Amino acid sequence: MNALRSDLQKLAAAAEASFRPEGPWRPGIHLAPPVGWLNDPNGLCCFQGEYHIFYQYAPFDAGGGVKFWGHYKSKDLISWVQCPVMLCPDEPYDIHGVYSGSALCREDGLYLYYTGNVKYDGDFDYIHAGREGNTVLAYSADGIRLNWKLLLLRNKDYPSEMTLHVRDPKVWKQDGRYYMIQGARTQEDAAAALIFESKDGFQWEHINTLRTAKPFGYMWECPDLFEIDGQWILIVCPQGVQKKGPGLENRYACGYFPLWGDFRGDYTLGEFIPLDFGFDFYAPQTFLDRDRRLLIAWMGMPDAEYTNPTVAYGWQHCLTSFRELRLKGGRLCMRPIQELEHLHEETRTYSFSERLTVDLPEIADIQITCGGALSLALSGISLKAENGSAALTVHEGGYGRDTRTAFTGGLRNLRILADSSAIEFFVNDGEVSLSARWYPADLCLALTLYGEGQAVVYAMRSMEITKYAETVSAKRKT
Ligand code: FRU
């Protein structure tokens, strides 16, 4: 085996083994890195009866650094096994980062497609010169250990009108063929998505380029393309969007275009629709789990103007909860997966007709039905929903976060997953969501509701996370 790979694996394992997350704000129902830094979810799949989630991981530096693929797996999406790192930056074609990508489950194993990032030292703009974005395939027969890596495509294999920014392959099988979509930036600084086709998953041919009539940003990161209830959806994370307003208030955007026609030939893209209206939601990835499509995103934002205080405790960032997608009136709705309800413990039910204050457990699933306007305040965060829109404001512990807004229409219900430093709001059965990290000094949470309605508060227990080595030794003993 590659000596660098073996050293990096050992170093990552040692960094994980010697780390005990201490201090406040470690989430219980959101996946966080075992140590160090986490960003995009990668390679979501259900392989041989187990869910796998990989993620962009910098185990040696909570502030970021060269990326690996970290790895969790689960049988039920609520109890997890923390597996050894799957991919390390250990080849000349991925030496500065094993960047984002996706998984394809085949009969003989797990095929992982990702971007191998290479950056040269020197005076480069790193757009037209000075870097490589390689498309790499990694194979694992058992879904735990890497067997081999293979360089599939280099920048010269992409259309010549593209800059060196081409990355984040998402691969799927359809009509007996394999398809791959990658995010790209053209020489004219317009965002695009490249479509490739393959008969065998190894030899790829560029067959189409998806773009808007007028550029929508200069780069689309982390594209995803799928059909749901007969509608094709193109998810992208646009950088450089000039338009402002609800859902476009963050450093970079994240949302989708409805796509009509055939992504392989003639197609039309509809209006861009933001996926989430909070501060911290980026690089989502979906996969088909039997008959439902699940999505999970990074609960963070690249190059954000705020900082997170957990860096001082040796870790940073987490993923959103798993969300089930549905299409309603041509728009995507997202709801936390049902499995989370298995983590419910004690239940309390309240009616309120003006104002109500309740103590909250550290991890809570709060389900509110109401008519019309509603305001709530919760340890440094407030949400005000009236006249068809909602404003989420972080008053304390935002570390730079202030206010985000969303158009919601009339408020019928609201669900909140509040998890010590990660909070997700789902308005009207998930028609609108707002996700945020915040770091309240007072972890004894209290919720005040202003308005009229009912609230059910479920205390939740944390997801169980076991180390892979422990599951292996437990198996040996039985
Ligand atoms: C999105 C992103 C991807 C890239 C990865 C690197 O957050 O910039 O485009 O592959 O992160 O960590």
Side-chain angles (χ1 to χ4, degrees):
M1 131 136 96
N2 171 327
L4 178 56
R5 178 173 309 156
S6 143
D7 286 352
L8 288 171
Q9 278 169 346
K10 281 188 204 137
L11 286 169
E16 290 170 357
S18 64
F19 183 71
R20 295 272 165 283
E22 275 165 11
W25 306 317
R26 185 85 180 166
I29 58 165
H30 293 83
L31 288 171
V35 60
W37 160 286
L38 162 153
N39 58 296
D40 316 352
N42 297 147
L44 297 185
C45 62
C46 190
F47 174 63
Q48 295 176 351
E50 287 187 306
Y51 296 100
H52 291 257
I53 179 159
F54 303 91
Y55 54 90
Q56 289 288 285
Y57 183 29
F60 310 126
D61 185 355
V66 175
K67 301 294 158 53
F68 292 56
W69 273 31
H71 185 190
Y72 286 109
K73 67 170 185 157
S74 170
K75 287 195 167 61
D76 55 11
L77 295 172
I78 49 169
S79 49
W80 293 90
V81 178
Q82 179 197 312
C83 300
V85 287
M86 177 57 107
L87 301 176
C88 303
D90 53 27
E91 295 284 354
Y93 51 72
D94 64 14
I95 198 70
H96 299 122
V98 176
Y99 272 15
S100 284
S102 57
L104 190 70
C105 303
R106 296 178 71 164
E107 293 251 299
D108 64 336
L110 195 56
Y111 288 72
L112 304 172
Y113 294 83
Y114 68 91
T115 299
N117 182 50
V118 180
K119 272 181 146 180
Y120 307 147
D121 269 344
D123 183 20
F124 297 111
D125 68 356
Y126 297 103
I127 301 168
H128 305 91
R131 70 186 305 152
E132 295 171 23
N134 299 305
T135 305
V136 187
L137 171 59
Y139 168 76
S140 167
D142 62 1
I144 296 291
R145 270 164 297 264
L146 174 72
N147 295 82
W148 47 255
K149 286 180 177 181
L150 184 68
L151 173 59
L152 297 180
L153 300 167
R154 292 179 172 278
N155 287 90
K156 67 172 174 43
D157 303 311
Y158 310 139
S160 57
E161 57 167 321
M162 298 301 143
T163 60
L164 299 175
H165 283 268
V166 173
R167 62 177 166 270
D168 308 335
K170 175 85 197 289
V171 174
W172 70 100
K173 191 175 182 191
Q174 183 184 333
D175 307 330
R177 301 258 161 151
Y178 297 97
Y179 291 96
M180 177 195 285
I181 184 166
Q182 299 225 39
R185 172 176 184 162
T186 70
Q187 304 277 2
E188 274 74 49
D189 281 337
L194 307 178
I195 304 287
F196 299 82
E197 191 183 59
S198 170
K199 284 193 192 118
D200 56 10
F202 289 85
Q203 301 286 329
W204 292 88
E205 187 195 350
H206 171 251
I207 56 160
N208 207 4
T209 299
L210 307 180
R211 56 182 118 209
T212 42
K214 274 200 220 143
F216 194 78
Y218 57 74
M219 170 74 192
W220 288 343
E221 292 194 309
C222 302
D224 198 345
L225 183 62
F226 56 88
E227 192 183 11
I228 183 165
D229 292 338
Q231 174 66 59
W232 279 88
I233 299 286
L234 169 64
I235 291 184
V236 290
C237 295
Q239 300 188 317
V241 173
Q242 297 304 322
K243 217 173 124 188
K244 290 285 164 256
L248 298 171
E249 297 171 297
N250 289 332
R251 179 80 166 90
Y252 302 128
C254 174
Y256 62 98
F257 299 99
L259 181 148
W260 293 281
D262 188 351
F263 68 89
R264 294 166 285 205
D266 292 334
Y267 67 90
T268 313
L269 295 181
E271 280 277 300
F272 180 80
I273 305 173
L275 260 174
D276 187 279
F277 294 80
F279 300 88
D280 299 284
F281 186 97
Y282 199 73
Q285 192 174 100
T286 73
F287 78 111
L288 200 57
D289 176 30
R290 292 177 297 260
D291 55 354
R292 59 180 187 170
R293 187 163 285 274
L294 303 186
L295 175 148
I296 193 163
W298 173 30
M299 214 159 170
M301 179 59 53
D303 308 324
E305 53 278 10
Y306 45 79
T307 52
N308 295 312
T310 59
V311 179
Y313 296 101
W315 67 278
Q316 187 176 194
H317 296 306
C318 67
L319 301 175
T320 64
S321 59
F322 273 94
R323 301 167 177 202
E324 182 176 343
L325 293 181
R326 285 171 309 125
L327 196 72
K328 194 170 156 199
R331 287 183 159 240
L332 287 178
C333 297
M334 301 191 276
R335 271 202 299 215
I337 50 166
Q338 247 185 348
E339 282 90 331
L340 276 186
E341 289 161 27
H342 296 303
L343 298 173
H344 285 174
E345 295 194 312
E346 189 208 347
T347 310
R348 282 178 284 150
T349 307
Y350 306 92
S351 285
F352 57 100
S353 60
E354 238 173 62
R355 180 197 155 117
L356 170 78
T357 300
V358 296
D359 283 339
L360 286 184
E362 202 169 307
I363 309 176
D365 180 352
I366 306 156
Q367 303 186 7
I368 302 168
T369 39
C370 52
L374 178 84
S375 288
L376 64 83
L378 183 156
S379 295
I381 271 201
S382 71
L383 185 86
K384 202 169 187 180
E386 58 187 0
N387 306 325
S389 52
L392 171 67
T393 305
V394 188
H395 307 272
E396 279 169 46
Y399 287 79
R401 291 165 184 81
D402 43 31
T403 296
R404 293 291 180 264
T405 50
F407 295 123
T408 54
L411 188 69
R412 306 185 305 276
N413 57 61
L414 175 66
R415 183 163 176 192
I416 309 165
L417 294 178
D419 181 15
S420 73
S421 66
I423 190 156
E424 294 173 87
F425 294 87
F426 298 91
V427 179
N428 292 345
D429 304 311
E431 287 171 9
V432 166
S433 73
L434 300 106
S435 306
R437 300 297 305 284
W438 97 120
Y439 304 90
D442 181 8
L443 277 178
C444 168
L445 301 170
L447 169 71
T448 305
L449 295 163
Y450 305 88
E452 204 180 322
Q454 276 85 43
V456 185
V457 176
Y458 299 92
M460 292 180 78
R461 64 170 188 278
S462 294
M463 302 191 297
E464 193 181 72
I465 299 185
T466 316
K467 296 208 166 112
Y468 180 71
E470 288 161 20
T471 64
V472 174
S473 65
K475 248 190 212 156
R476 271 200 208 112
K477 279 188 202 137
T478 51

